[in-house]
Amino acid sequence: MFHRSIRPRALLLLSTVLLLCIAAPFPASAADRPTAHQAAEAMGKGFNLGQMFDNSQHPATLETARPKIDAYYARGFRVVRIPVTWTEAVDGATLADPDTGRLDRASPRLAQLEAVIDYALSRPGLHVVINAHHESRLKDHGRGDVLAQLWADISTTFHNRDGRLIFEILNEPHLSNHDPMPPETLRAMTGQAYARIRRTDPERIVVIGGNQWFGAHEMATTWPNLDAVGGGADPYVMATFHHYNPWTFAGDNQGDYADPWTEEDMAGPMRVMANWAATTGGGMPVFIGEWGVGWKSRHATMNCNNIRLWYARFDAVHAKAMGMPTAVWDDGGWFQIFDHDANAFSSNLIDCIDGACRWAGVSRFNEDCL
């Protein structure tokens, strides 16, 4: 109850402030926008909402996404990366016109994506990364105009969201034949999209990466300078790479999982990326957007200590020492950590990510790794 001595003018001012707060749940002011460095420091460990909005493996709905977001959030994960396919058909429909990049604002899948993003942002401290994930024609034909219009529409749609929403411009930009995109083409396309985002949202964090599979070694070739993305003077730019090294161990359908990987296999790509970031990147923060092991392509259940050791060392030891936030690739399938059917974690890999977990026996290469 208000005290009688409050004057009418003060009451009017207070009411106006309250209304403004209610009307703007996702503030867009500069004071609420973290820089790329501030976001990287807060993100820590994270996960991917894989195979949901990038293809049709799981229903692209808030109902499907919410249990997974909640489960990871309860375990202290503070970044969710949402791969999104926009210009290629998923279940027979696209989110954006493949010839123009214009969003289909009447798309039910877009409405569900907005609901998932808003739900994730409603969780205190949770960062959300959305990208353009499987855009084959766009990449094959170097359609910078389409990519720019796509991100212009995405930026317009989400410009009023909290600064914890982050835009990753183009995921793993290899061509359909798996060759890398010409670096000059990718730089030009990225620059066009970056410029359109900046018209609407000058303080939205934008993420750039390499020109094929987002390998750490690709950055030096793809980005010999930052002219296309603010010339190194934009504090709202972040770099990313993916880490499946060695692929003979981490990849799906690669034989057994008794690969004698080393600490250098894990640390080497991180160091390569850190060196680029410290030099050409001008101290830019680095986000490991994908990592993991495709164990379920070979085994029905996860009981391999060698895989457990990989998950226990990756984030808690190596990435943390490098100051790099991570997002483990979890597609609910071959790289499964969370089981969508059970709405629960399917193994103790979730414990391993924290740095330690129960083993089956004492041998690193137990029989379930074969």
Side-chain angles (χ1 to χ4, degrees):
M1 180 178 293
F2 293 112
H3 194 277
R4 290 179 181 271
S5 64
I6 296 178
R7 297 180 180 179
R9 182 178 296 178
L11 285 173
L12 178 61
L13 178 60
L14 181 58
S15 299
T16 302
V17 170
L18 288 172
L19 285 172
L20 287 173
C21 291
I22 293 170
F26 302 108
S29 68
D32 298 304
R33 292 296 176 89
T35 65
H37 273 289
Q38 290 169 335
E41 290 174 359
M43 286 158 69
K45 61 186 179 182
F47 66 101
N48 276 267
L49 206 61
Q51 312 289 80
M52 187 173 297
F53 286 95
D54 49 325
N55 64 30
S56 58
Q57 181 174 328
H58 307 297
T61 64
L62 176 58
E63 181 181 6
T64 301
R66 184 190 288 115
K68 184 173 182 177
I69 293 172
D70 289 349
Y72 271 104
Y73 188 83
R75 295 296 300 253
F77 288 67
R78 290 299 180 264
V79 55
V80 52
R81 181 173 179 261
I82 308 176
V84 184
T85 298
W86 304 87
T87 63
E88 301 287 332
V90 175
D91 280 339
T94 61
L95 287 178
D97 189 317
D99 295 318
T100 66
R102 288 283 186 184
L103 282 187
D104 177 6
R105 299 190 184 280
S107 165
R109 187 155 57 98
L110 180 60
Q112 287 295 318
L113 176 61
E114 288 194 61
V116 170
I117 290 171
D118 287 343
Y119 179 74
L121 289 174
S122 75
R123 306 309 301 265
L126 185 60
H127 297 73
V128 181
V129 180
I130 61 172
N131 69 6
H133 203 75
H134 294 303
E135 317 294 341
S136 298
R137 285 172 291 176
L138 184 157
K139 294 183 290 187
D140 284 344
H141 300 290
R143 292 296 302 273
D145 57 330
V146 176
L147 185 65
Q149 185 60 61
L150 172 65
W151 280 108
D153 279 10
I154 295 171
S155 185
T156 299
T157 300
F158 294 105
H159 77 278
N160 68 329
R161 271 27 175 226
D162 190 284
R164 288 176 288 119
L165 177 62
I166 297 169
F167 293 165
E168 179 188 303
I169 291 180
L170 190 59
N171 173 76
E172 295 188 352
H174 56 80
L175 305 179
S176 292
N177 65 2
H178 294 168
D179 284 349
M181 280 188 69
E184 62 276 10
T185 301
L186 179 59
R187 284 196 302 275
M189 292 174 65
T190 302
Q192 287 177 267
Y194 168 86
R196 294 299 297 275
I197 292 169
R198 285 293 175 258
R199 288 187 199 176
T200 305
D201 219 337
E203 293 162 339
R204 178 72 57 192
I205 296 172
V206 171
V207 180
I208 61 173
N211 66 326
Q212 190 176 20
W213 302 105
F214 270 8
H217 64 282
E218 299 170 21
M219 289 300 286
T221 300
T222 308
W223 297 100
N225 60 68
L226 299 172
D227 294 348
V229 288
D234 187 343
Y236 299 93
V237 179
M238 184 181 293
T240 191
F241 77 106
H242 294 171
H243 194 313
Y244 296 105
N245 180 64
W247 181 253
T248 52
F249 167 70
D252 56 85
N253 292 292
Q254 294 297 302
D256 62 42
Y257 291 102
D259 189 298
W261 57 265
T262 67
E263 298 292 326
E264 179 59 22
D265 288 328
M266 196 174 290
M270 297 183 193
R271 191 166 55 250
V272 168
M273 195 70 177
N275 289 340
W276 176 89
T279 54
T280 304
M284 184 183 298
V286 173
F287 168 50
I288 304 177
E290 291 184 19
W291 68 278
V293 178
W295 64 271
K296 201 170 172 60
S297 65
R298 302 291 297 174
H299 297 285
T301 58
M302 218 308 296
N303 197 34
C304 170
N305 292 338
N306 195 36
I307 296 174
R308 289 184 174 115
L309 184 61
W310 180 270
Y311 278 78
R313 300 290 293 172
F314 193 94
D315 181 274
V317 177
H318 291 285
K320 187 167 292 185
M322 290 283 190
M324 296 178 179
T326 67
V328 67
W329 180 253
D330 183 359
D331 56 11
W334 289 345
F335 291 77
Q336 183 183 104
I337 300 176
F338 185 84
D339 183 343
H340 286 272
D341 293 330
N343 278 335
F345 295 112
S346 62
S347 70
N348 73 337
L349 287 181
I350 188 66
D351 301 321
C352 301
I353 295 174
D354 286 333
C357 56
R358 176 187 52 77
W359 278 21
V362 295
S363 171
R364 170 180 170 181
F365 303 106
N366 61 318
E367 61 182 14
D368 289 278
C369 298
L370 305 176

PDB file of all heavy atoms in Angstrom, residues 12 19 24 63 69 84 91 101 110 137 145 187 190 206 271 279 317 329:
ATOM      1  N   LEU A  12       2.235   8.987 -10.435  1.00  0.00           N
ATOM      2  CA  LEU A  12       2.161   8.877 -11.890  1.00  0.00           C
ATOM      3  C   LEU A  12       3.488   8.397 -12.457  1.00  0.00           C
ATOM      4  O   LEU A  12       3.551   7.523 -13.324  1.00  0.00           O
ATOM      5  CB  LEU A  12       1.779  10.232 -12.496  1.00  0.00           C
ATOM      6  CG  LEU A  12       1.719  10.273 -14.046  1.00  0.00           C
ATOM      7  CD1 LEU A  12       0.672   9.292 -14.555  1.00  0.00           C
ATOM      8  CD2 LEU A  12       1.386  11.700 -14.507  1.00  0.00           C
ATOM      9  N   LEU A  19       4.828   0.216 -15.725  1.00  0.00           N
ATOM     10  CA  LEU A  19       4.282  -0.186 -17.011  1.00  0.00           C
ATOM     11  C   LEU A  19       5.380  -0.456 -18.020  1.00  0.00           C
ATOM     12  O   LEU A  19       5.325  -1.415 -18.802  1.00  0.00           O
ATOM     13  CB  LEU A  19       3.335   0.901 -17.552  1.00  0.00           C
ATOM     14  CG  LEU A  19       1.972   0.983 -16.868  1.00  0.00           C
ATOM     15  CD1 LEU A  19       1.208   2.213 -17.359  1.00  0.00           C
ATOM     16  CD2 LEU A  19       1.153  -0.286 -17.144  1.00  0.00           C
ATOM     17  N   ALA A  24       8.502  -4.463 -21.346  1.00  0.00           N
ATOM     18  CA  ALA A  24       9.798  -4.763 -21.953  1.00  0.00           C
ATOM     19  C   ALA A  24      10.540  -5.838 -21.167  1.00  0.00           C
ATOM     20  O   ALA A  24      11.503  -5.565 -20.484  1.00  0.00           O
ATOM     21  CB  ALA A  24      10.642  -3.494 -22.031  1.00  0.00           C
ATOM     22  N   GLU A  63       7.382 -27.843 -26.315  1.00  0.00           N
ATOM     23  CA  GLU A  63       7.075 -29.003 -25.477  1.00  0.00           C
ATOM     24  C   GLU A  63       8.233 -30.003 -25.474  1.00  0.00           C
ATOM     25  O   GLU A  63       8.559 -30.602 -24.439  1.00  0.00           O
ATOM     26  CB  GLU A  63       5.802 -29.692 -25.982  1.00  0.00           C
ATOM     27  CG  GLU A  63       5.375 -30.895 -25.154  1.00  0.00           C
ATOM     28  CD  GLU A  63       4.131 -31.572 -25.705  1.00  0.00           C
ATOM     29  OE1 GLU A  63       3.662 -31.176 -26.788  1.00  0.00           O
ATOM     30  OE2 GLU A  63       3.633 -32.503 -25.041  1.00  0.00           O
ATOM     31  N   ILE A  69      16.079 -28.304 -21.872  1.00  0.00           N
ATOM     32  CA  ILE A  69      16.608 -27.035 -21.356  1.00  0.00           C
ATOM     33  C   ILE A  69      16.611 -27.056 -19.831  1.00  0.00           C
ATOM     34  O   ILE A  69      17.599 -26.689 -19.183  1.00  0.00           O
ATOM     35  CB  ILE A  69      15.782 -25.848 -21.896  1.00  0.00           C
ATOM     36  CG1 ILE A  69      15.983 -25.708 -23.407  1.00  0.00           C
ATOM     37  CG2 ILE A  69      16.171 -24.555 -21.183  1.00  0.00           C
ATOM     38  CD1 ILE A  69      15.053 -24.696 -24.056  1.00  0.00           C
ATOM     39  N   VAL A  84      19.580 -23.953 -36.462  1.00  0.00           N
ATOM     40  CA  VAL A  84      18.332 -23.676 -37.170  1.00  0.00           C
ATOM     41  C   VAL A  84      18.572 -23.707 -38.675  1.00  0.00           C
ATOM     42  O   VAL A  84      19.493 -23.053 -39.178  1.00  0.00           O
ATOM     43  CB  VAL A  84      17.758 -22.293 -36.791  1.00  0.00           C
ATOM     44  CG1 VAL A  84      16.404 -22.080 -37.483  1.00  0.00           C
ATOM     45  CG2 VAL A  84      17.614 -22.144 -35.280  1.00  0.00           C
ATOM     46  N   ASP A  91      10.615 -31.014 -43.074  1.00  0.00           N
ATOM     47  CA  ASP A  91       9.219 -31.474 -43.096  1.00  0.00           C
ATOM     48  C   ASP A  91       8.427 -30.767 -44.195  1.00  0.00           C
ATOM     49  O   ASP A  91       7.251 -30.414 -44.012  1.00  0.00           O
ATOM     50  CB  ASP A  91       8.551 -31.251 -41.732  1.00  0.00           C
ATOM     51  CG  ASP A  91       8.909 -32.331 -40.725  1.00  0.00           C
ATOM     52  OD1 ASP A  91       9.320 -33.422 -41.152  1.00  0.00           O
ATOM     53  OD2 ASP A  91       8.769 -32.073 -39.512  1.00  0.00           O
ATOM     54  N   GLY A 101      15.722 -14.966 -48.964  1.00  0.00           N
ATOM     55  CA  GLY A 101      16.072 -14.894 -47.549  1.00  0.00           C
ATOM     56  C   GLY A 101      14.986 -14.316 -46.677  1.00  0.00           C
ATOM     57  O   GLY A 101      15.156 -14.214 -45.452  1.00  0.00           O
ATOM     58  N   LEU A 110       8.467 -21.231 -37.014  1.00  0.00           N
ATOM     59  CA  LEU A 110       9.076 -19.994 -36.530  1.00  0.00           C
ATOM     60  C   LEU A 110       8.458 -19.590 -35.196  1.00  0.00           C
ATOM     61  O   LEU A 110       9.158 -19.142 -34.277  1.00  0.00           O
ATOM     62  CB  LEU A 110       8.908 -18.871 -37.554  1.00  0.00           C
ATOM     63  CG  LEU A 110       9.500 -17.510 -37.160  1.00  0.00           C
ATOM     64  CD1 LEU A 110      11.004 -17.611 -36.928  1.00  0.00           C
ATOM     65  CD2 LEU A 110       9.202 -16.460 -38.236  1.00  0.00           C
ATOM     66  N   ARG A 137      22.172 -24.632 -50.605  1.00  0.00           N
ATOM     67  CA  ARG A 137      22.127 -23.843 -51.838  1.00  0.00           C
ATOM     68  C   ARG A 137      22.739 -22.468 -51.631  1.00  0.00           C
ATOM     69  O   ARG A 137      23.455 -21.959 -52.496  1.00  0.00           O
ATOM     70  CB  ARG A 137      20.677 -23.715 -52.318  1.00  0.00           C
ATOM     71  CG  ARG A 137      20.118 -24.976 -52.943  1.00  0.00           C
ATOM     72  CD  ARG A 137      18.646 -24.864 -53.209  1.00  0.00           C
ATOM     73  NE  ARG A 137      17.876 -24.824 -51.965  1.00  0.00           N
ATOM     74  CZ  ARG A 137      16.556 -24.656 -51.926  1.00  0.00           C
ATOM     75  NH1 ARG A 137      15.876 -24.467 -53.046  1.00  0.00           N
ATOM     76  NH2 ARG A 137      15.930 -24.674 -50.767  1.00  0.00           N
ATOM     77  N   ASP A 145      23.553 -12.080 -50.760  1.00  0.00           N
ATOM     78  CA  ASP A 145      22.344 -11.271 -50.678  1.00  0.00           C
ATOM     79  C   ASP A 145      21.252 -11.993 -49.899  1.00  0.00           C
ATOM     80  O   ASP A 145      20.528 -11.384 -49.099  1.00  0.00           O
ATOM     81  CB  ASP A 145      21.845 -10.905 -52.077  1.00  0.00           C
ATOM     82  CG  ASP A 145      21.582 -12.134 -52.952  1.00  0.00           C
ATOM     83  OD1 ASP A 145      22.266 -13.172 -52.775  1.00  0.00           O
ATOM     84  OD2 ASP A 145      20.688 -12.065 -53.827  1.00  0.00           O
ATOM     85  N   ARG A 187      33.996 -14.475 -46.390  1.00  0.00           N
ATOM     86  CA  ARG A 187      34.186 -13.167 -45.750  1.00  0.00           C
ATOM     87  C   ARG A 187      33.200 -12.147 -46.289  1.00  0.00           C
ATOM     88  O   ARG A 187      32.612 -11.359 -45.528  1.00  0.00           O
ATOM     89  CB  ARG A 187      35.623 -12.665 -45.949  1.00  0.00           C
ATOM     90  CG  ARG A 187      36.644 -13.330 -45.077  1.00  0.00           C
ATOM     91  CD  ARG A 187      37.947 -12.542 -45.041  1.00  0.00           C
ATOM     92  NE  ARG A 187      38.535 -12.362 -46.364  1.00  0.00           N
ATOM     93  CZ  ARG A 187      39.328 -13.248 -46.953  1.00  0.00           C
ATOM     94  NH1 ARG A 187      39.621 -14.389 -46.333  1.00  0.00           N
ATOM     95  NH2 ARG A 187      39.844 -13.002 -48.139  1.00  0.00           N
ATOM     96  N   THR A 190      29.648 -13.041 -45.033  1.00  0.00           N
ATOM     97  CA  THR A 190      29.546 -12.724 -43.608  1.00  0.00           C
ATOM     98  C   THR A 190      29.476 -11.224 -43.403  1.00  0.00           C
ATOM     99  O   THR A 190      28.696 -10.730 -42.573  1.00  0.00           O
ATOM    100  CB  THR A 190      30.753 -13.307 -42.848  1.00  0.00           C
ATOM    101  OG1 THR A 190      30.807 -14.724 -43.052  1.00  0.00           O
ATOM    102  CG2 THR A 190      30.648 -13.029 -41.356  1.00  0.00           C
ATOM    103  N   VAL A 206      27.703 -11.147 -32.408  1.00  0.00           N
ATOM    104  CA  VAL A 206      27.745 -11.879 -33.673  1.00  0.00           C
ATOM    105  C   VAL A 206      28.931 -12.833 -33.626  1.00  0.00           C
ATOM    106  O   VAL A 206      30.012 -12.474 -33.150  1.00  0.00           O
ATOM    107  CB  VAL A 206      27.875 -10.898 -34.848  1.00  0.00           C
ATOM    108  CG1 VAL A 206      28.147 -11.640 -36.140  1.00  0.00           C
ATOM    109  CG2 VAL A 206      26.606 -10.048 -34.984  1.00  0.00           C
ATOM    110  N   ARG A 271      44.553 -24.485 -28.583  1.00  0.00           N
ATOM    111  CA  ARG A 271      45.711 -23.600 -28.610  1.00  0.00           C
ATOM    112  C   ARG A 271      45.834 -22.882 -29.955  1.00  0.00           C
ATOM    113  O   ARG A 271      46.168 -21.695 -30.006  1.00  0.00           O
ATOM    114  CB  ARG A 271      46.976 -24.409 -28.307  1.00  0.00           C
ATOM    115  CG  ARG A 271      48.203 -23.554 -28.057  1.00  0.00           C
ATOM    116  CD  ARG A 271      49.335 -24.348 -27.438  1.00  0.00           C
ATOM    117  NE  ARG A 271      49.673 -25.525 -28.230  1.00  0.00           N
ATOM    118  CZ  ARG A 271      49.423 -26.784 -27.859  1.00  0.00           C
ATOM    119  NH1 ARG A 271      48.839 -27.034 -26.698  1.00  0.00           N
ATOM    120  NH2 ARG A 271      49.769 -27.795 -28.630  1.00  0.00           N
ATOM    121  N   THR A 279      46.125 -12.824 -31.738  1.00  0.00           N
ATOM    122  CA  THR A 279      46.858 -12.046 -32.738  1.00  0.00           C
ATOM    123  C   THR A 279      45.883 -11.367 -33.693  1.00  0.00           C
ATOM    124  O   THR A 279      45.425 -10.257 -33.428  1.00  0.00           O
ATOM    125  CB  THR A 279      47.847 -12.953 -33.484  1.00  0.00           C
ATOM    126  OG1 THR A 279      47.152 -14.092 -34.018  1.00  0.00           O
ATOM    127  CG2 THR A 279      48.931 -13.445 -32.532  1.00  0.00           C
ATOM    128  N   VAL A 317      38.752 -29.316 -17.689  1.00  0.00           N
ATOM    129  CA  VAL A 317      40.203 -29.160 -17.622  1.00  0.00           C
ATOM    130  C   VAL A 317      40.717 -28.241 -18.720  1.00  0.00           C
ATOM    131  O   VAL A 317      41.213 -27.146 -18.457  1.00  0.00           O
ATOM    132  CB  VAL A 317      40.909 -30.538 -17.694  1.00  0.00           C
ATOM    133  CG1 VAL A 317      42.423 -30.368 -17.699  1.00  0.00           C
ATOM    134  CG2 VAL A 317      40.478 -31.411 -16.515  1.00  0.00           C
ATOM    135  N   TRP A 329      27.846 -31.188 -28.229  1.00  0.00           N
ATOM    136  CA  TRP A 329      26.860 -31.570 -29.242  1.00  0.00           C
ATOM    137  C   TRP A 329      26.014 -32.708 -28.687  1.00  0.00           C
ATOM    138  O   TRP A 329      26.512 -33.802 -28.409  1.00  0.00           O
ATOM    139  CB  TRP A 329      27.537 -31.994 -30.544  1.00  0.00           C
ATOM    140  CG  TRP A 329      26.519 -32.377 -31.580  1.00  0.00           C
ATOM    141  CD1 TRP A 329      26.214 -33.628 -32.015  1.00  0.00           C
ATOM    142  CD2 TRP A 329      25.644 -31.488 -32.294  1.00  0.00           C
ATOM    143  NE1 TRP A 329      25.203 -33.586 -32.954  1.00  0.00           N
ATOM    144  CE2 TRP A 329      24.834 -32.285 -33.146  1.00  0.00           C
ATOM    145  CE3 TRP A 329      25.469 -30.100 -32.299  1.00  0.00           C
ATOM    146  CZ2 TRP A 329      23.865 -31.733 -33.991  1.00  0.00           C
ATOM    147  CZ3 TRP A 329      24.506 -29.549 -33.137  1.00  0.00           C
ATOM    148  CH2 TRP A 329      23.717 -30.356 -33.971  1.00  0.00           C
TER     149      TRP A 329
END
